Amino acid sequence: MHPTSLEMRVRRFAERVRTIKHVEQALALLNWDAQTMLPKKGVEARSQVIGTLTEQRVRLLLDPQLAEDVAALTEPEAAAQLDEPTREAVRLVKREIERRRAVPLELQRAFAELTTEAEAVWAEARKADDFARFSPYLERIVATVRTFADCWGYEGHPYDALLDDYEPGMTVAKLDALFRELRPPLEALLDRVREAGPVDAAFLRRAFPLDRQRAFVERVLVDIGYDFDGGRLDVSAHPFCTGIHPGDVRITTRYNPHDFVDAFFSALHEGGHALYEQQLPAEWADTPLGEGASMGIHESQSRFWDTFIGLSRPFWERYYPEAVDKFPEVLGDVSFSAFYRAINRIEPSLIRVDADPLTYQFHIFLRYELEKQLVAGELAVADLPAAWRERMRAYLGIAPETDADGVLQDVHWSAGLFGYFPTYTLGNLYAAQLHAAMHRDLDDMDARVREGDFAPIRAWLADRVHRHGRRHSPEALIAQATGEPPTARPFIAFLEEKVRDVYGL
Amino acid sequence: MHPTSLEMRVRRFAERVRTIKHVEQALALLNWDAQTMLPKKGVEARSQVIGTLTEQRVRLLLDPQLAEDVAALTEPEAAAQLDEPTREAVRLVKREIERRRAVPLELQRAFAELTTEAEAVWAEARKADDFARFSPYLERIVATVRTFADCWGYEGHPYDALLDDYEPGMTVAKLDALFRELRPPLEALLDRVREAGPVDAAFLRRAFPLDRQRAFVERVLVDIGYDFDGGRLDVSAHPFCTGIHPGDVRITTRYNPHDFVDAFFSALHEGGHALYEQQLPAEWADTPLGEGASMGIHESQSRFWDTFIGLSRPFWERYYPEAVDKFPEVLGDVSFSAFYRAINRIEPSLIRVDADPLTYQFHIFLRYELEKQLVAGELAVADLPAAWRERMRAYLGIAPETDADGVLQDVHWSAGLFGYFPTYTLGNLYAAQLHAAMHRDLDDMDARVREGDFAPIRAWLADRVHRHGRRHSPEALIAQATGEPPTARPFIAFLEEKVRDVYGL
């Protein structure tokens, strides 16, 4: 037998990977539809179809032919002949095959079933404020996740093995270092804000007609460059963004007549994710490179828009007069400065997703620490609600009366997503760092925002972040985009400036 | 090696078939979304995903293990031990495998590519009224379809091999016999109607506000029993029904402010398809039995509602007063009898989908005859436009000025659907036969319709048609439901009565 030619292996590899990506596109649509369009009697059948396609995807990934091609293309002599994107694609596929192979298929299937059931039980438990109903599931999930960590292996902390799924290359050691840098200045800022006392925001709860909220949201999305010819905006219980393909990136929001802020900033947040997905290189759409670099980098794109643009002075200097025009009966008597202070107010609260950019990070510190302890076997699930309350009190000075508003508030643990939470804070840090670098590069950035001209910003993000897809590690991407590896300093500086601006402190 | 147990084969067969059905569900959603929700920049990627999943479906179907299990379960000794639904499921899968295997994979792939391209070219050609642009594609399609017929084999006419895909068991001999019975009385009726002269229907083109059209359509759909908890109504360029699962059956219509009839009867038509899909046995959803029996039977369900209920006197005795309430400014001066005559008027027209129940059948006769000739090699594609005009003139006394309104009007041929058209007329015949049988069984049927109580009708259809899925051949199903094999007599009687009623002839 003569050896299979390199060219043929590359072609076969690309075809197989393309098939996998197409199954992923189908899954993305099945999931989007389940949250936006699916009639309730179709829910059960849908979850079965998603299960079957997920399994088919794994089958395609674990096909021996693909493994053989990947192995051959990883040989130094062969690898040297590949162009860099192909070499990177091979590396990413190899890594996923290895992680999949490391865990017995039986255990993967059992975990999929366990988390499907656990999500339903969690939803009921939260409704009934009954942690005891959920805890046996969480115990099994933690136990399985610990086994995963052992299967995958790690050098430092077992949590490293989990982190790597969401933020490739990130470790407990690196995270702890970043958080050590971040935390004391945030604590100091929070103390100062508390002393300043509350900011009035009651007018944000007035009646904002839904159709006008929708029109305002759509208009701003168009302004920032979200392309409706390659996407759509729908309504769902929890806002989200689904990038099916760079030409088909869908976002959702939710409208509450007594909350202008929720729909608007949710849409801006998802719009940020969507700009990333729409500006991913279309020529890599059928390869593993055509995706966001990591969960943290993805979150940096949504935070960039909702926090660093959407909460900024120049942004509202542009849009506040329009908002007043749109909602004269609710905002007519509210000054720019009152509005600006209200949306930027900092206030400890129980629910993570409602938190401001400062107190938000303490929600993450808490979850990260509890997850680390659970995964290390240093904390029992039964002790979780008490640990939650204790830390909330220590970090933010408040504690939930119910577990529904505490340990049961997030879906992540029921879905088995251990290692995910820290990427939210990383997203904030990356966004601040990108924002600061952009400010240096575009000297008239504030003026552009004030004019509603976001094209240079979008172009900068495309050039530094979006067009690279998953080609670089998050760490390398940030270093390359900003000239410095990930650091907490720009985010701290941003918050210090914000507190000065809003509270005059 | 000990022989594989029957039980294990049955289980493995069921699992494999379930996987195939789940891929079909995903494909159904991908197609539905492409026609209702998909942003335009996502169109190209979508067609690739649909191509990949279609190929994956074929791969699963042609897997040697499945073929082995099907062969083993078809052995008389094994088959005797199966319950009847399983035996039928095995038979249906065996039949599809055989038909797939009979055609070289290369040819199947080439045909898929050809028809994808041809559909796009056809759309352009129709727009430009340029048959010559489309004809090279149609020539290749006809040639391929003739090869398919040879691959599949046939006893009488090569067209039999194609028909079988849409109407299992149907042949040219049987169709010709039905059409011979049907045609002369229809010609006689058409002559009488022509002598009577035109009926005024100009008021149907007045302005009907869209939101009220939508509300009226939704209300009637709920009345006939379409379950919005297991479906949804959206808008698309061409109305259609997609049964993803009995719990997820979606329909579309289109609203034209100057055409009350189009949206309403389209919705009723698709609603009829949808009731069938919603009442299919859910326990067979993951087997080939959980589908409509044939295209003809499916069309009988849509025609039952749009023609036999929706055009009937008792129906509008119920709903016309409501329509006048809803649209007082447009229908306030229109009497019941004027309205009833207008929606039931019979009038030769160029476009099949706009035709009334009488002239519609001549559109089908024409297509059926041309298809037979093309497939038999008795008619060249180049001669098609002339043949079309000639027959239109002979059958309906009118001929299109443009090919866009003639031979280019339907998508079917560009999609390679030869053998499909006759099932439309079969649907009309089956519907009439079911309607007559139902009238005998439910003696107060008209009174029920007049009260808007469609539950007994729905139950009768569920019992006689829907709950059987694809378990019986269409012929057997109709015979069992009505006590008689398919016949044209009830449809002729229906039209004679309709002409008497509307034209007083």
Side-chain angles (χ1 to χ4, degrees):
Chain A
M1 261 179 43
H2 75 106
T4 311
S5 77
L6 184 75
E7 199 186 322
M8 189 188 151
R9 284 209 194 273
V10 169
R11 200 170 48 238
R12 197 163 52 195
F13 168 80
E15 266 168 31
R16 178 58 58 103
V17 165
R18 187 172 175 268
T19 302
I20 292 172
K21 294 288 289 189
H22 287 181
V23 174
E24 286 172 13
Q25 284 194 39
L27 279 164
L29 179 70
L30 287 160
N31 278 306
W32 172 83
D33 183 84
Q35 290 175 77
T36 53
M37 302 286 159
L38 184 65
K40 67 179 181 192
K41 288 186 179 173
V43 171
E44 202 188 314
R46 174 60 51 86
S47 74
Q48 288 176 13
V49 170
I50 289 174
T52 296
L53 259 72
T54 304
E55 220 176 286
Q56 289 297 311
R57 186 190 167 279
V58 174
R59 250 174 233 269
L60 289 164
L61 186 76
L62 297 186
D63 184 86
Q65 181 67 72
L66 182 62
E68 189 200 303
D69 288 334
V70 163
L73 294 173
T74 319
E75 295 287 335
E77 202 189 326
Q81 294 178 63
L82 303 178
D83 57 40
E84 197 242 317
T86 305
R87 204 160 46 231
E88 272 307 294
V90 171
R91 189 185 62 77
L92 288 168
V93 171
K94 184 164 188 280
R95 180 174 168 277
E96 198 192 342
I97 292 176
E98 283 168 358
R99 279 177 81 90
R100 281 280 173 189
R101 283 237 176 111
V103 178
L105 265 175
E106 267 311 291
L107 189 61
Q108 291 183 44
R109 193 167 303 146
F111 192 62
E113 280 168 25
L114 172 61
T115 49
T116 302
E117 211 184 324
E119 276 195 61
V121 172
W122 161 77
E124 287 164 21
R126 185 170 72 153
K127 217 174 192 175
D129 184 32
D130 182 2
F131 181 73
R133 201 185 299 181
F134 177 53
S135 61
Y137 290 86
L138 187 54
E139 272 163 17
R140 286 166 60 201
I141 288 171
V142 169
T144 314
V145 153
R146 294 180 63 186
T147 309
F148 285 171
D150 289 338
C151 293
W152 290 330
Y154 49 88
E155 288 183 9
H157 195 284
Y159 194 78
D160 290 352
L162 307 176
L163 262 177
D164 207 56
D165 248 4
Y166 310 102
E167 203 66 13
M170 187 48 66
T171 60
V172 164
K174 289 183 195 175
L175 258 186
D176 283 349
L178 278 172
F179 286 3
R180 260 196 310 273
E181 186 187 357
L182 177 63
R183 191 156 171 170
L186 261 52
E187 285 170 344
L189 280 173
L190 187 55
D191 284 344
R192 278 159 58 191
V193 167
R194 272 173 170 158
E195 278 164 34
V199 169
D200 177 33
F203 53 84
L204 293 176
R205 299 279 171 181
R206 292 174 181 173
F208 293 82
L210 295 188
D211 53 336
R212 280 186 269 156
Q213 280 197 48
R214 186 185 306 260
F216 193 67
V217 160
E218 281 175 9
R219 183 219 184 307
V220 173
L221 283 172
V222 168
D223 278 3
I224 70 165
Y226 175 70
D227 180 359
F228 277 92
D229 284 341
R232 38 184 302 129
L233 172 66
D234 295 281
V235 168
S236 65
H238 302 283
F240 67 99
C241 167
T242 297
I244 298 173
H245 177 273
D248 186 7
V249 179
R250 308 177 181 197
I251 58 178
T252 69
T253 189
R254 59 183 166 205
Y255 299 97
N256 176 344
H258 290 283
D259 193 341
F260 169 70
V261 169
D262 190 23
F264 183 80
F265 284 98
S266 293
L268 208 53
H269 183 91
E270 303 309 334
H273 283 302
L275 282 183
Y276 190 3
E277 294 281 327
Q278 289 189 327
Q279 297 200 118
L280 284 172
E283 67 272 24
W284 291 348
D286 286 343
T287 82
L289 297 185
E291 295 173 21
S294 71
M295 301 308 300
I297 299 291
H298 231 305
E299 189 71 4
S300 79
Q301 297 308 293
S302 53
R303 283 302 185 199
F304 179 88
W305 289 98
D306 74 27
T307 302
F308 293 85
I309 301 295
L311 286 175
S312 74
R313 233 175 224 287
F315 182 84
W316 287 104
E317 280 164 4
R318 166 79 186 179
Y319 290 103
Y320 193 61
E322 291 190 21
V324 174
D325 268 4
K326 205 103 195 158
F327 307 101
E329 65 280 40
V330 264
L331 295 177
D333 63 345
V334 178
S335 70
F336 172 86
S337 120
F339 177 82
Y340 180 70
R341 281 169 54 87
I343 59 171
N344 274 292
R345 75 195 185 284
I346 290 163
E347 212 168 65
S349 61
L350 294 173
I351 305 298
R352 176 183 60 86
V353 296
D354 297 338
D356 59 77
L358 197 168
T359 60
Y360 187 92
Q361 316 313 326
F362 290 92
H363 287 272
I364 301 303
F365 298 154
L366 173 153
R367 285 158 179 76
Y368 169 55
E369 290 158 12
L370 296 179
E371 280 192 356
K372 266 199 301 186
Q373 291 187 326
L374 286 167
V375 168
E378 298 162 5
L379 176 69
V381 166
D383 298 330
L384 209 46
W388 186 285
R389 283 193 176 81
E390 192 186 311
R391 274 171 212 262
M392 277 298 285
R393 212 169 288 122
Y395 299 172
L396 292 173
I398 53 175
E401 282 181 29
T402 65
D403 288 332
D405 283 346
V407 68
L408 287 172
Q409 73 181 260
D410 292 308
V411 71
H412 301 60
W413 290 344
S414 72
L417 304 175
F418 277 74
Y420 190 121
F421 280 121
T423 69
Y424 290 125
T425 287
L426 287 173
N428 281 278
L429 304 191
Y430 298 159
Q433 199 167 334
L434 292 167
H435 185 253
M438 190 188 293
H439 241 292
R440 288 192 299 271
D441 287 355
L442 311 173
D443 46 22
D444 58 349
M445 186 172 158
D446 284 351
R448 293 300 188 96
V449 171
R450 215 172 281 119
E451 286 158 18
D453 173 15
F454 299 100
I457 293 177
R458 219 162 50 240
W460 193 95
L461 290 173
D463 181 55
R464 303 297 176 94
V465 181
H466 303 173
R467 73 180 172 90
H468 302 288
R470 206 150 65 107
R471 194 165 172 177
H472 309 299
S473 76
E475 203 172 351
L477 187 68
I478 290 296
Q480 191 178 298
T482 68
E484 202 182 1
T487 154
R489 272 180 291 107
F491 186 65
I492 297 165
F494 163 79
L495 282 183
E496 283 173 344
E497 174 54 32
K498 183 66 83 181
V499 167
R500 240 191 316 276
D501 187 27
V502 173
Y503 289 87
L505 297 168
Chain B
M1 260 178 45
H2 75 107
T4 311
S5 77
L6 184 75
E7 199 186 322
M8 191 189 149
R9 283 208 194 275
V10 169
R11 198 170 49 235
R12 198 163 51 195
F13 168 81
E15 266 168 29
R16 177 58 57 105
V17 165
R18 186 171 175 271
T19 302
I20 292 172
K21 295 288 289 188
H22 286 182
V23 174
E24 288 172 12
Q25 285 194 40
L27 279 164
L29 179 70
L30 287 159
N31 278 305
W32 172 83
D33 184 83
Q35 290 175 75
T36 53
M37 302 287 158
L38 184 64
K40 67 181 181 191
K41 290 187 179 171
V43 170
E44 203 188 313
R46 175 60 52 86
S47 74
Q48 288 176 14
V49 170
I50 288 173
T52 297
L53 259 71
T54 304
E55 220 177 285
Q56 288 298 311
R57 185 191 168 279
V58 173
R59 250 173 234 269
L60 289 164
L61 186 75
L62 296 186
D63 183 88
Q65 181 67 71
L66 182 62
E68 189 200 303
D69 287 334
V70 162
L73 295 173
T74 318
E75 294 288 333
E77 203 188 327
Q81 294 177 63
L82 303 177
D83 56 41
E84 197 242 317
T86 304
R87 203 158 49 230
E88 273 306 295
V90 170
R91 189 184 63 75
L92 289 167
V93 171
K94 185 165 186 282
R95 179 173 169 279
E96 198 191 342
I97 291 175
E98 283 167 1
R99 279 177 80 90
R100 282 279 172 186
R101 283 237 175 113
V103 178
L105 264 175
E106 267 311 291
L107 189 61
Q108 290 183 46
R109 194 167 303 147
F111 191 63
E113 280 168 24
L114 172 61
T115 49
T116 301
E117 211 184 326
E119 275 194 63
V121 172
W122 161 78
E124 287 164 21
R126 185 170 74 152
K127 218 173 190 175
D129 186 32
D130 183 1
F131 182 72
R133 200 184 301 180
F134 177 53
S135 60
Y137 290 87
L138 187 53
E139 272 163 17
R140 286 165 62 199
I141 288 170
V142 169
T144 314
V145 152
R146 292 180 65 187
T147 309
F148 286 169
D150 290 338
C151 293
W152 291 330
Y154 50 87
E155 288 183 10
H157 195 283
Y159 193 77
D160 290 352
L162 307 176
L163 262 177
D164 208 57
D165 248 4
Y166 310 103
E167 203 65 12
M170 186 50 66
T171 61
V172 164
K174 288 182 194 174
L175 257 186
D176 284 348
L178 277 171
F179 286 4
R180 262 198 306 275
E181 186 186 356
L182 177 63
R183 189 155 172 170
L186 261 50
E187 286 169 344
L189 280 172
L190 186 56
D191 284 344
R192 279 159 58 192
V193 167
R194 272 170 168 161
E195 279 164 32
V199 169
D200 176 33
F203 53 83
L204 293 176
R205 299 279 170 180
R206 292 175 180 172
F208 293 82
L210 296 187
D211 54 335
R212 282 185 269 157
Q213 281 197 48
R214 187 186 302 262
F216 193 67
V217 160
E218 281 175 9
R219 182 222 186 303
V220 173
L221 283 172
V222 168
D223 278 4
I224 70 167
Y226 174 71
D227 180 0
F228 277 92
D229 284 342
R232 39 184 302 130
L233 172 66
D234 294 280
V235 168
S236 65
H238 302 282
F240 68 99
C241 167
T242 297
I244 299 173
H245 177 274
D248 186 7
V249 180
R250 307 178 182 197
I251 58 179
T252 69
T253 190
R254 59 183 165 205
Y255 299 97
N256 175 343
H258 290 283
D259 194 341
F260 168 69
V261 168
D262 190 24
F264 183 80
F265 285 98
S266 292
L268 208 53
H269 183 91
E270 303 310 332
H273 283 302
L275 282 182
Y276 191 2
E277 293 282 327
Q278 290 190 325
Q279 297 200 117
L280 283 172
E283 67 273 23
W284 290 347
D286 287 341
T287 83
L289 297 184
E291 295 172 22
S294 72
M295 301 308 299
I297 299 291
H298 230 304
E299 189 71 4
S300 78
Q301 297 308 293
S302 53
R303 283 302 185 199
F304 180 90
W305 288 98
D306 74 29
T307 302
F308 294 85
I309 301 295
L311 287 174
S312 73
R313 236 175 221 288
F315 182 84
W316 287 104
E317 281 163 6
R318 165 79 187 180
Y319 289 103
Y320 192 61
E322 291 190 20
V324 174
D325 269 4
K326 203 102 196 159
F327 307 101
E329 65 281 40
V330 262
L331 294 178
D333 63 344
V334 179
S335 71
F336 172 87
S337 119
F339 177 81
Y340 180 70
R341 280 169 54 87
I343 60 170
N344 275 290
R345 76 194 184 285
I346 290 163
E347 215 167 63
S349 60
L350 294 173
I351 306 298
R352 175 183 61 86
V353 297
D354 297 337
D356 59 78
L358 197 166
T359 60
Y360 187 92
Q361 316 313 325
F362 290 93
H363 287 273
I364 300 303
F365 297 154
L366 174 152
R367 285 157 180 75
Y368 170 55
E369 289 159 11
L370 296 179
E371 281 192 356
K372 266 199 302 186
Q373 291 187 327
L374 287 167
V375 169
E378 298 162 5
L379 177 67
V381 165
D383 298 330
L384 210 46
W388 186 285
R389 285 194 175 79
E390 193 186 311
R391 274 171 212 261
M392 276 300 284
R393 213 171 286 120
Y395 299 172
L396 292 174
I398 53 175
E401 282 180 30
T402 66
D403 288 332
D405 283 346
V407 68
L408 286 173
Q409 73 181 260
D410 291 308
V411 70
H412 301 60
W413 290 343
S414 72
L417 304 174
F418 278 73
Y420 191 119
F421 281 122
T423 68
Y424 291 126
T425 287
L426 288 173
N428 282 277
L429 305 190
Y430 298 159
Q433 199 166 335
L434 291 167
H435 184 253
M438 191 189 291
H439 241 292
R440 289 193 299 272
D441 287 355
L442 312 173
D443 46 23
D444 58 349
M445 186 172 157
D446 284 350
R448 292 299 188 96
V449 172
R450 214 171 283 120
E451 288 159 15
D453 172 15
F454 300 100
I457 294 177
R458 219 163 49 240
W460 192 95
L461 290 172
D463 181 55
R464 302 297 176 95
V465 180
H466 304 172
R467 75 181 170 89
H468 301 288
R470 206 150 65 106
R471 192 164 172 178
H472 310 298
S473 76
E475 203 173 352
L477 187 68
I478 291 296
Q480 191 177 298
T482 69
E484 203 181 359
T487 156
R489 275 180 289 106
F491 185 65
I492 297 165
F494 163 78
L495 282 183
E496 284 173 343
E497 174 53 32
K498 182 65 82 182
V499 167
R500 240 192 314 278
D501 186 28
V502 172
Y503 290 88
L505 298 168

